[in-house]
Amino acid sequence: MVDESGPGSSEVDFRCGILDVLEAAALHQRHAEIHVDGRWRRIRVIDVATDHGEDWVILDGDERLAVGRIEKARSVSG
């Protein structure tokens, strides 16, 4: 399911789409917005990695967040 929620942003609510958004943000050195624990958070994605069968998003300062905790993700243009 794709929901256009503003100019330049695409919202997805399925795991493959979330990984796609995060990997694109890392590749293009852009931010992404993620929905975790009931609220939106803007993050700077450094990389996406797999460790022991779980996908992780690597943030500034080597902070890691399990992709499985992310409910939704959308790209941020500009």
Side-chain angles (χ1 to χ4, degrees), residues 22 25-27 30 44-48 57-62:
L22 296 172
L27 180 65
R30 294 200 173 158
R44 170 106 169 124
V45 181
I46 302 302
D47 198 5
V48 178
V57 62
I58 312 301
L59 309 173
D60 281 335
D62 290 329

Side-chain angles (χ1 to χ4, degrees), residues 21-36:
V21 168
L22 296 172
E23 288 172 346
L27 180 65
H28 299 291
Q29 300 180 355
R30 294 200 173 158
H31 288 85
E33 290 184 342
I34 58 172
H35 195 261
V36 178

Side-chain angles (χ1 to χ4, degrees), residues 41 47 49-52 54-67 69:
R41 176 179 168 194
D47 198 5
T50 301
D51 187 22
H52 298 296
E54 185 160 11
D55 294 316
W56 297 86
V57 62
I58 312 301
L59 309 173
D60 281 335
D62 290 329
E63 180 185 352
R64 295 168 42 136
L65 177 65
V67 172
R69 290 191 53 216

